[in-house]
Amino acid sequence: MPTSTLAAPVAAPVVALPAHGLLLLLLQAGLLLLVALVLGRLAARAHLPAVAGELCAGVLLGPTVLGHLSPALFDRLLPASATQFHLLDAVGQFGVILLVGVTGMEVDLALVRRRRGSTLSIATAGLLLPLLLGIGLGSVLPASLIPHSTSRPVFALFLGVALCVSAMPVIAKTLADMNLTHRNVGQLVLAAAMVDDVVGWLLLSVVSAIAVGTNRAGSILWSIGSTVIVVTVVRVLGGPLVRRVMARFERRGDDAGTISASVVIMLLGAAAAQALHLEAMFGAFLAGLLIGVCAPGVLARLAPLRQVVLAVLAPLFFATAGLRIDLTLLRSPVVLGTALLVLAAAVLGKLGGVYLGSRGGRLGPWETLAVGAGLNSRGVIQIVIATAGLSLGVLTTATFTIVILVAITTSVMAAPLLRVAMQHIEHTAEEELRLSERLLPEPTDSAAGRTATSTADHSADSTADRSVSRGA
């Protein structure tokens, strides 16, 4: 007996990325990375961290320079297509997540626990003082700089939040460029910056809720509760699981497996934080912390990953961030004068807050200056906050440009101040041990010649690193 069957509907295949779209993505990424590397080298010759030049790569190829010198070329290279820009932005986000994760691996939790009082004191004062200065300044700025649809109190609150944050990605890259991550000062900066970032994102959610005029108290409480839950779960369950996974690859001597597992852990940590409406970088940083407390050999095997992230992915991210910036609006005297005033409030607020917070933490004057210089970097986090303010209608194009200028200037300022301060801070044995854990393990085979060469290379690298970190 014949039976009739109905064919099940077949889903249409996903359309592949158009050839022209792929060509644009490759061209954009290649040019941004090329310009970022060139400017990074020039910045290093000028005794600045490479990240200062890398941030300027996007400014050079973006609307600030290329967009005004050659609009036609700018439109062909960076067409006004959200889909195309999101492709490039996704590549940059991948890089910044790994950068923050790699930075988390190098945080010495034992030091942070010993100096948790100093860390919390510095983070709190370094956040509150610029927050208050920003609110006060926002209350007296010219009305022409405030959108008509936004009340002055909301604008003042938003400006305070924008000035109080610190940029973990820029801080991490600056410390890495100057080889200061293993120093005690660098560890304090990273720990305090993480606290500032978490609180800053929570404050942003509060101000955003007020700006859009909706009652989002429940979502704000959820963000705070999610942060506590994530930290608790990571400490109780994540630690043993990550140690077990990494120990298996360590016993096998599997460098590739160790790198792959670490990247997976960072990406899943970032995804978990994003799913809970937290910042993805927060999850990546916590994942990096878990990896960092594994066996010392794990960090050594991850040295190639660190090199690729710092040399390729991070520069591409910073260059991409610069594409959002248009500094030509500073030609207006009112905008420029206001920008200088806001910049002064941001710098004095952060340095003054760190000074007040460090008084009870037994930090010397040079350590205080070094920590303040590191936390003064606003960088990409402030750019993200400014972009959110522009989209919410809290900032005008002029005030958006002012906040961006503060982000770039404070990021460039960090290295000279750090270099001066670190010249007066001696290395400790604990810092030397922390640095040695990052070196590649010596070969265990019978090739004595290669072992001797490796040892000599490591010794030379260590000596060079110590010289650079002293500001030589």
Side-chain angles (χ1 to χ4, degrees):
M1 181 176 179
T3 59
S4 60
T5 60
L6 295 176
V10 178
V14 177
V15 178
L17 179 66
H20 182 66
L22 177 59
L23 172 62
L24 270 181
L25 176 63
L26 296 175
L27 186 61
Q28 291 167 348
L31 285 178
L32 282 170
L33 183 57
L34 173 63
V35 176
L37 294 178
V38 170
L39 294 182
R41 294 292 188 272
L42 292 177
R45 290 187 178 185
H47 304 290
L48 294 172
V51 66
E54 293 160 3
L55 274 172
C56 293
V59 177
L60 187 63
L61 294 178
T64 300
V65 179
L66 183 61
H68 283 78
L69 295 180
S70 179
L73 179 59
F74 174 75
D75 291 337
R76 292 188 62 181
L77 178 62
L78 296 164
S81 168
T83 302
Q84 188 68 40
F85 190 85
H86 288 163
L87 286 174
L88 186 60
D89 191 49
V91 177
Q93 290 298 321
F94 180 76
V96 75
I97 285 172
L98 292 186
L99 171 63
V100 174
V102 168
T103 303
M105 295 189 314
E106 300 189 18
V107 172
D108 187 345
L109 289 179
L111 174 68
V112 174
R113 292 191 191 100
R114 289 200 310 271
R115 306 185 74 170
R116 58 181 175 271
S118 300
T119 300
L120 291 176
S121 176
I122 290 170
T124 302
L127 187 143
L128 285 179
L129 186 56
L131 174 66
L132 295 176
L133 287 178
I135 293 174
L137 193 58
S139 302
V140 298
L141 287 181
S144 60
L145 297 175
I146 304 174
H148 297 296
S149 59
T150 301
S151 66
R152 183 175 285 275
V154 172
F155 171 79
L157 280 172
F158 197 92
L159 184 61
V161 172
L163 296 191
C164 77
V165 296
S166 296
M168 170 64 77
V170 175
I171 291 171
K173 187 64 164 57
T174 300
L175 294 175
D177 289 341
M178 300 182 68
N179 198 43
L180 297 177
T181 306
H182 69 286
R183 301 294 300 272
N184 290 341
V185 165
Q187 299 286 309
L188 283 176
V189 170
L190 291 174
M194 194 68 250
V195 175
D196 279 3
D197 274 7
V198 172
V199 176
W201 288 117
L202 293 177
L203 289 175
L204 178 62
S205 68
V206 173
V207 178
S208 298
I210 298 173
V212 298
T214 58
N215 182 13
R216 294 175 54 191
S219 64
I220 295 169
L221 292 176
W222 168 255
S223 297
I224 297 174
S226 297
T227 304
V228 176
I229 292 172
V230 167
V231 173
T232 303
V233 171
V234 164
R235 184 173 183 178
V236 176
L237 300 177
L241 178 61
V242 170
R243 284 195 294 271
R244 188 176 297 113
V245 170
M246 302 307 291
R248 174 171 297 183
F249 288 107
E250 174 66 14
R251 286 194 300 269
R252 295 176 180 175
D254 187 352
D255 291 3
T258 302
I259 292 174
S260 298
S262 298
V263 172
V264 168
I265 292 169
M266 292 178 203
L267 293 179
L268 292 181
Q274 189 74 20
L276 293 172
H277 305 289
L278 300 174
E279 179 59 31
M281 288 185 291
F282 178 55
F285 185 78
L286 292 179
L289 290 178
L290 295 182
I291 298 170
V293 298
C294 295
V298 171
L299 279 181
R301 297 187 187 281
L302 292 175
L305 172 63
R306 183 176 183 274
Q307 292 172 350
V308 171
V309 170
L310 293 179
V312 179
L313 297 178
L316 185 56
F317 166 72
F318 290 121
T320 303
L323 294 176
R324 302 179 183 272
I325 303 170
D326 187 356
L327 299 179
T328 57
L329 293 174
L330 295 174
R331 292 176 296 186
S332 167
V334 174
V335 176
L336 180 59
T338 304
L340 294 177
L341 189 61
V342 173
L343 176 62
V347 174
L348 294 177
K350 186 64 73 172
L351 294 181
V354 170
Y355 170 75
L356 294 175
S358 65
R359 294 188 66 181
R362 293 180 295 179
L363 266 68
W366 292 113
E367 288 179 307
T368 300
L369 176 60
V371 174
L375 292 177
N376 190 45
S377 297
R378 268 68 170 200
V380 179
I381 302 301
Q382 197 171 54
I383 293 173
V384 172
I385 290 178
T387 304
L390 189 64
S391 64
L392 289 171
V394 179
L395 300 180
T396 63
T397 306
T399 48
F400 171 81
T401 302
I402 289 171
V403 176
I404 294 301
L405 177 67
V406 173
I408 296 177
T409 306
T410 54
S411 299
V412 173
M413 287 176 59
L417 292 176
L418 276 169
R419 184 170 290 106
V420 170
M422 296 308 295
Q423 288 176 345
H424 301 272
I425 303 175
E426 294 295 330
H427 264 84
T428 65
E430 181 184 35
E431 292 171 345
E432 296 289 351
L433 177 61
R434 199 178 293 132
L435 175 62
S436 68
E437 291 178 349
R438 285 175 18 194
L439 300 177
L440 288 171
E442 296 179 4
T444 56
D445 57 21
S446 59
R450 279 184 293 173
T451 301
T453 302
S454 175
T455 303
D457 289 343
H458 293 165
S459 176
D461 289 345
S462 180
T463 302
D465 289 343
R466 290 193 294 271
S467 176
V468 171
S469 61
R470 287 194 181 101

